[in-house]
Amino acid sequence: MNETVLTLTNATIRFGGLVAVNNVSFSLQKGDLFGLIGPNGAGKTTCFNLITGVYRPTSGVIDFKGQNIGGLPPAKIATLGICRTFQNIRLFPALSVLENVVVGAFLRHTTSLASALCYLPPSIKETRALRQEAFELLEVMDLSDVASVRSADLPYGKQRRLEIARAMATQPELILLDEPAAGMNQKEKEDLQSTVRRIRDDFGKTVLLIEHDMRFVMGLCERIFVLDHGEEIAQGPPEAIRNDPKVIEAYLGEAV
Ligand SMILES: Nc1ncnc2c1ncn2[C@@H]1O[C@H](COP(=O)(O)OP(=O)(O)O)[C@@H](O)[C@H]1O
Ligand SMILES: [Mg+2]
């Protein structure tokens, strides 16, 4: 049976005279691998910012598991089970790879108001458990061999994987990836594709991702939404998107 995780209904946001996202509607079922594509400036990252509470929608509804989360604070949305990575990588550069993931796991454990107010540090036992959990995630993300390396010293492709590991450590139900394959070589992209598939298949996550590499998106996502100038121009399975004349004109240039 399908279980709806996220539904945008006529989501709209204006910045002054610019309607960056205009009446966008789509729905993700549990376990979907859903792609969001479109030219630069189409409004893709702004959609992520609406879903994660960075911006409040001007109008429309963003429903996460039956609750309208539009305009809730980002920290609240994170505790409800949505986590993201950023188009421009945001790691803690001076911390080790392992520590970056521990921070993600730690955030999950300190989100209760009581512990935040008391600012209770985790016990040694808890810390050990968090480190163990973080290390297991590094293994999944194929980063355990660099666990003690400063994250700033990692090559770019591994930094992107680390951001995903940190997001996973918050144990989200829905994970948003903003251009996860950007700057990766072909081999890294192929590895990332299988990792993202594992995140869904083995961990049961629902994944919404923005990506420009059409081979990557079409080979991974089962459904794709195409945005142009803030508006939907198409949504459907990869074969339909690939052959849609409107998509080809606005974005693909030629059939891929
Ligand atoms: N905070 C903001 N203030 C004003 N304009 C913004 C803001 N955020 C995004 N925009 C504009 O919204 C449009 C969509 O941006 P964005 O969502 O980043 O595009 P994409 O991720 O598809 O490349 C762009 O024209 C961008 O300049
Ligand atoms: Mg963007």
Side-chain angles (χ1 to χ4, degrees):
M1 200 187 83
N2 277 353
E3 184 188 326
T4 305
V5 174
L6 178 78
T7 305
L8 271 62
T9 309
N10 298 324
T12 299
I13 185 166
R14 291 174 185 277
F15 297 113
L18 174 79
V19 189
V21 174
N22 195 2
N23 275 321
V24 164
S25 301
F26 60 80
S27 197
L28 270 67
Q29 308 299 310
K30 187 173 167 55
D32 271 351
L33 283 175
F34 193 98
L36 182 55
I37 65 172
N40 278 327
K44 305 180 297 295
T45 297
T46 304
C47 283
F48 275 22
N49 287 333
L50 288 173
I51 296 166
T52 55
V54 176
Y55 299 134
R56 172 188 291 272
T58 309
S59 59
V61 175
I62 298 172
D63 183 287
F64 180 62
K65 299 199 300 177
Q67 176 179 3
N68 184 7
I69 58 166
L72 290 181
K76 171 70 183 165
I77 292 175
T79 61
L80 291 175
I82 302 180
C83 198
R84 74 181 293 182
T85 64
F86 292 89
Q87 190 171 344
N88 306 309
I89 296 172
R90 297 190 193 174
L91 292 167
F92 302 106
L95 296 186
S96 75
V97 166
L98 183 71
E99 287 160 348
N100 264 278
V101 182
V102 170
V103 170
F106 181 68
L107 285 177
R108 189 182 77 238
H109 287 262
T110 52
T111 42
S112 86
L113 183 62
S115 65
L117 286 177
C118 303
Y119 194 64
L120 293 173
S123 68
I124 290 172
K125 197 170 152 213
E126 277 171 338
T127 307
R128 205 174 289 141
L130 292 182
R131 289 179 76 84
Q132 178 60 33
E133 184 188 314
F135 194 80
E136 282 163 16
L137 274 173
L138 289 184
E139 283 177 333
V140 172
M141 296 305 296
D142 213 5
L143 290 167
S144 52
D145 56 328
V146 288
S148 57
V149 174
R150 248 169 47 108
S151 71
D153 296 335
L154 283 185
Y156 193 72
K158 290 192 175 182
Q159 291 194 13
R160 288 220 168 267
R161 298 177 78 85
L162 175 55
E163 254 211 318
I164 299 175
R166 190 181 56 185
M168 287 282 287
T170 69
Q171 294 190 355
E173 184 159 345
L174 170 63
I175 182 159
L176 313 183
L177 307 175
D178 198 344
E179 302 198 20
M184 288 188 171
N185 63 37
Q186 196 51 43
K187 169 76 170 66
E188 288 173 323
K189 283 179 184 175
E190 281 161 20
D191 290 347
L192 180 65
Q193 241 184 5
S194 32
T195 305
V196 175
R197 213 172 273 126
R198 260 194 88 186
I199 287 173
R200 191 272 302 273
D201 294 347
D202 298 354
F203 294 83
K205 308 294 182 197
T206 306
V207 181
L208 173 58
L209 69 92
I210 296 172
E211 188 45 64
H212 281 294
D213 185 313
M214 282 307 105
R215 186 144 43 129
F216 186 94
V217 181
M218 302 263 174
L220 181 64
C221 296
E222 290 124 4
R223 285 198 308 131
I224 295 172
F225 184 101
V226 191
L227 202 59
D228 186 30
H229 297 294
E231 294 184 14
E232 169 178 344
I233 53 174
Q235 60 176 313
E239 316 80 70
I241 295 298
R242 195 183 278 129
N243 297 308
D244 187 313
K246 291 193 301 294
V247 179
I248 293 168
E249 189 189 331
Y251 184 49
L252 298 178
E254 54 190 55
V256 288

